[in-house]
Amino acid sequence: FGSSHLALGDFRAARRCERAAAQAAMGKKSYQNYGKSFRKPKRPFEKERLDSEMKIIGEYGLKNKREVWRVNYALAKIRTAARTLLTLDEKSEQRMFQGD
């Protein structure tokens, strides 16, 4: 089941790309994003997290929890990038151009 399921996912991704290429050739532009923009919490009913999210939503006038999760995900990506840059050597070109 697992390998056929992966093959089906690859097939769907390939079809999406083919469709986007066909539409681009016909003059239509695809505005669909393919990257993740938020990550749901692992524990959906954790009381402390739910209360803190509701407090943030009320304080900043956000529309839903997804907006809170989106910002948390963006910060997590920045933190992981910073962590990997800090592990590089100080004279590394990658660290000099991307980091401090």
Side-chain angles (χ1 to χ4, degrees):
F1 172 74
S3 63
S4 65
H5 184 65
L6 287 175
L8 182 62
D10 294 341
F11 175 74
R12 286 182 181 146
R15 284 292 295 154
R16 245 186 278 133
C17 290
E18 287 173 11
R19 246 184 267 127
Q23 285 180 348
M26 292 187 325
K28 293 182 181 177
K29 191 168 183 180
S30 174
Y31 292 101
Q32 188 173 10
N33 292 327
Y34 294 113
K36 289 186 177 183
S37 61
F38 70 94
R39 186 172 53 210
K40 286 195 244 179
K42 289 184 179 177
R43 296 181 179 172
F45 301 110
E46 197 173 21
K47 180 147 179 57
E48 297 85 30
R49 184 188 48 77
L50 289 172
D51 292 340
S52 68
E53 285 176 351
M54 284 306 291
K55 185 177 177 186
I56 290 170
I57 287 172
E59 186 176 344
Y60 295 103
L62 302 177
K63 186 170 76 172
N64 51 29
K65 300 271 182 88
R66 193 179 302 152
E67 292 184 344
V68 177
W69 300 338
R70 184 176 61 207
V71 172
N72 284 339
Y73 185 60
L75 289 173
K77 286 199 292 189
I78 291 170
R79 268 192 231 106
T80 54
R83 219 177 288 125
T84 56
L85 284 174
L86 287 173
T87 59
L88 296 174
D89 186 39
E90 288 186 23
K91 305 291 183 192
S92 171
E93 284 187 23
Q94 187 179 6
R95 183 172 174 175
M96 291 173 72
F97 285 112
Q98 292 181 3
D100 186 351

